[in-house]
Amino acid sequence: MLDEDSSDSDSDNKVEWQKDAGEYSQRIWQWWKPRRVDFPVHATALQLIVLVQLSSCSIEREFSKLE
């Protein structure tokens, strides 16, 4: 019975970090970090994508102030 409880908590933890945007992005970064040297073009493309996505936040904040 203890094994069942621990597996339930493991699955709960998995769901929790996948729903947490900060933890999810941190885990993706930890996975990607050692691989970026092998894929320099992909690394550059991802950096540009992340910059574009972050820059849209300020625009969304301004729109939310107008509501």
Side-chain angles (χ1 to χ4, degrees):
M1 184 161 187
L2 291 175
D3 292 336
E4 290 177 11
D5 291 338
S6 66
S7 66
D8 287 341
S9 80
D10 289 343
S11 66
D12 289 342
N13 288 337
K14 183 178 179 184
V15 171
E16 287 178 17
W17 73 258
Q18 287 178 339
K19 289 182 179 179
D20 180 13
E23 180 67 24
Y24 187 73
S25 61
Q26 182 66 27
R27 288 182 184 227
I28 290 173
W29 174 247
Q30 293 302 322
W31 178 87
W32 175 250
K33 203 158 109 176
R35 291 166 177 83
R36 64 185 173 166
V37 176
D38 298 329
F39 303 99
V41 175
H42 289 86
T44 302
L46 286 173
Q47 287 174 345
L48 292 173
I49 290 169
V50 168
L51 288 174
V52 169
Q53 288 179 349
L54 290 177
S55 66
S56 69
C57 291
S58 62
I59 295 169
E60 291 176 17
R61 262 189 248 116
E62 293 302 318
F63 280 124
S64 69
K65 289 179 185 177
L66 295 174
E67 293 178 350

